[in-house]
Amino acid sequence: MGRTGLQLSVLSFGSWVSFHKQIDDGVADELMGIAYDSGINFFDNAEAYALGESEKMMGRVLKKKNWERSSYVVSSKAFWGWRGKQNKPNQSGLSRKHLVEACHEALQRLQVDYLDLYFCHRPDKNVPIEEVVWTMHQLIQQGKILYWGTSEWSGVEIMEAHRVAQQYNLIGPTVEQTQYNLFERNKIENEYLMVYKTVGMGTTIWSPLASGLLSGKYNDGIPPDSRFAIEGFDWLKDRWIKEGHLEKVKQLSGLASELEISVAELSLAWCIRNPNVTTAILGATRKEQLLQNLKAVEAMKKLDTAVLQRIETIVGTKPVLPEF
Ligand SMILES: NC(=O)c1ccc[n+]([C@@H]2O[C@H](COP(=O)([O-])OP(=O)(O)OC[C@H]3O[C@@H](n4cnc5c(N)ncnc54)[C@H](OP(=O)(O)O)[C@@H]3O)[C@@H](O)[C@H]2O)c1
């Protein structure tokens, strides 16, 4: 992972939306089992997912599976709190108080002694960066977390954290959790370029299928058992279900058929072929989805220069880089 010694599988598995809201312990157990048996070693979570219930579900599965603790990596993220609109001051954000309390709560819910990765789920303009870096460093020294990272921070904010870490000889952030898919590319392919080069950084990318859009499942409408049909997720549906997007996914689906792979495999393979992507976090609500998505590793072989160029022509989303 970036410049650390930690090994993450190129595909990983996360629980946003699905755990508790869509799937129960039985399905979570089945999916995590398939993931682990296929070589996935990183399971992603956050305090805010299903208001803490997602961590509790993952914790129950981990306990039941009884895998060697050294064989997997588990994360949590703090920022939004887990009480939703009931959050009181200090029950969200990146203050020392919330970061420490959220860490303790995540350890309890996940039923583990330490978190391998602990993320600041968003930047917090109300907290001095020194307080964040010192807190994360101290949590590492206390053995409660092993590595810390950021999620959706700007390149400048990440570099500020490194400046503070260097100034006080503290352990800085080593990983960023960023959205990355065929439609959302700027941070990974443009903004972070200097960060990889200077201080180095691993990336655990999220929504590699744009919440399922890039599986082609929405090409002919919204299936009633899909994410975009869930009550309260209109904001996400409106973000992704747009004429321009659907037309491009349909063209990508045609290209994928020519290559004899699914458009989900093509889209995931495209993400993980980027050397700056450490791992793509998969989401799934059923076994068939996960089994299909795992084939992305094999599908990478089919993405030669000509295919990559055809993908670029279809999506037209490549960031324009400044000329040096
Ligand atoms: N740091 C952050 O701010 C942040 C934000 C979001 C996510 N994340 C992390 O990233 C993980 C992955 O994100 P994501 O769930 O948005 O990933 P995604 O791969 O873009 O979407 C996954 C969803 O798409 C559908 N799907 C997946 N594969 C499919 C297939 N082969 N065929 C048909 N439908 C398929 C499923 O939803 P349905 O079956 O319900 O349609 C599945 O739950 C999360 O679990 C979380 O750990 C982090």
Side-chain angles (χ1 to χ4, degrees), residues 13-18 22 44-45 49 77 80 121-122 151-152 177-179 181 204-213 215-218 225-228 230 262 264 268 281-286 288-290 292-293:
F13 188 66
S15 60
W16 181 53
V17 189
S18 56
Q22 293 176 288
D44 185 60
N45 222 316
Y49 295 171
K77 311 182 205 89
W80 273 297
H121 212 155
R122 289 295 179 269
S151 181
E152 297 295 334
Q177 189 162 129
T178 318
Q179 182 170 194
N181 57 52
T204 62
I205 61 134
W206 60 269
S207 284
L209 293 178
S211 272
L213 180 79
S215 73
K217 70 189 302 172
Y218 297 107
D225 57 351
S226 66
R227 181 176 292 181
F228 293 160
I230 303 174
S262 67
L268 292 166
I281 314 175
L282 304 174
T285 56
R286 60 204 70 169
E288 296 70 32
Q289 295 175 352
L290 183 57
Q292 181 177 63
N293 297 348

